[in-house]
């Protein structure tokens, strides 16, 4: 690896770090892991008026003013030609403990626009999720039969109203610190 290439890689990693720090400071993400899950949780909570739980909360991500509990899972489809596997949501742990009332599944396109979003009642998930011992949890695809179940509610329009319009490829960006009030 050439020094110039290493410098470019380090510059990209520093930009990534700056993006994560800025998103965290603005309350959009809550961890420094891949920001996709935190972004989905933030977007859902903002648009549906939910209160995000602390990161340490087991089995749920947000609570409604009506005390309903929500687990929020997402998938970032990085291609215009998604496969069934691109609809595989994150692992649902301790499904049998009934720690949430609804699962909100959000599918982002390659530019983080909401491609689809669904509200799925906890009670139907065991019919469609598959337990995988190696991850110690249930795997659910946001595709096929579960989306046709009458109990599943398509909420795509609610989240699309909250998302920004993507205007083209991003070649560079400017991080602007939030004004101190």
């Amino acid at each position: 690896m050439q020094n110039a290439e290493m410098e470019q890689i380090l510059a990209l990693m520093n930009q990534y770090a700056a993006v994560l720090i800025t998103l965290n400071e603005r309350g959009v993400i809550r961890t420094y892991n891949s920001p996709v899950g935190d972004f989905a949780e933030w977007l859902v909570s903002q648009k549906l008026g939910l209160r995000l739980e602390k990161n340490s909360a087991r089995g749920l991500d947000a609570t409604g003013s009506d005390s309903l509990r929500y687990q929020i899972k997402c998938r970032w489809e990085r291609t215009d030609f998604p496969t069934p596997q691109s609809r595989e949501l994150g692992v649902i742990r301790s499904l049998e403990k009934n720690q949430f009332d609804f699962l909100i599944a959000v599918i982002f396109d390659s530019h983080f626009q909401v491609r689809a979003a669904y509200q799925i009642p906890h009670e139907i998930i065991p019919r469609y999720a598959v337990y995988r011992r190696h991850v110690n949890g249930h795997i659910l695809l946001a595709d096929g039969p579960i989306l046709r179940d009458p109990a599943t509610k398509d909420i795509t329009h609610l989240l699309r109203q909250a998302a920004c319009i993507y205007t083209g490829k991003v070649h560079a960006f400017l991080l602007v610190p939030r004004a101190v009030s």
Side-chain angles (χ1 to χ4, degrees):
M1 181 176 294
Q2 301 292 338
N3 284 345
E5 185 178 5
M6 179 56 84
E7 287 177 21
Q8 289 175 343
I9 290 169
L10 289 174
L12 289 169
M13 291 304 294
N14 281 294
Q15 285 179 343
Y16 180 70
V19 166
L20 291 180
I21 289 166
T22 301
L23 290 172
N24 181 274
E25 288 171 351
R26 293 180 183 190
V28 174
I29 64 172
R30 302 185 293 163
T31 70
Y32 291 100
N33 298 329
S34 170
V36 179
D38 283 350
F39 176 63
E41 292 171 5
W42 175 81
L43 180 65
V44 169
S45 71
Q46 292 292 305
K47 192 56 190 170
L48 300 184
L50 305 177
R51 180 180 53 84
L52 287 173
E53 297 294 324
K54 292 181 180 178
N55 280 344
S56 59
R58 290 196 167 271
L60 74 150
D61 297 308
T63 307
S65 60
D66 54 4
S67 298
L68 289 174
R69 302 162 300 157
Y70 295 84
Q71 175 72 253
I72 301 165
K73 299 288 184 185
C74 72
R75 193 63 186 218
W76 176 32
E77 293 182 326
R78 295 174 296 277
T79 175
D80 290 331
F81 305 102
T83 64
Q85 292 78 17
S86 69
R87 292 290 178 107
E88 184 177 299
L89 302 173
V91 177
I92 303 169
R93 303 210 191 279
S94 303
L95 182 62
E96 68 285 350
K97 291 185 179 177
N98 199 24
Q99 296 171 316
F100 60 90
D101 300 300
F102 293 98
L103 184 140
I104 303 293
V106 181
I107 307 299
F108 292 112
D109 71 12
S110 60
H111 302 293
F112 292 102
Q113 296 300 303
V114 176
R115 180 171 280 162
Y118 304 94
Q119 179 176 292
I120 306 168
H122 179 279
E123 62 264 12
I124 72 165
I125 293 173
R127 287 186 242 155
Y128 302 102
V130 177
Y131 182 78
R132 298 278 188 235
R133 197 171 99 197
H134 71 282
V135 294
N136 191 30
H138 288 80
I139 302 297
L140 181 67
L141 293 180
D143 198 25
I146 195 164
L147 302 184
R148 293 188 294 273
D149 190 298
T152 297
K153 182 178 176 183
D154 186 331
I155 60 168
T156 305
H157 65 286
L158 296 176
L159 298 187
R160 278 191 181 153
Q161 293 172 4
C164 298
I165 296 172
Y166 177 75
T167 58
K169 290 185 179 180
V170 175
H171 296 288
F173 59 91
L174 176 64
L175 292 176
V176 180
R178 186 168 26 175
V180 177
S181 45

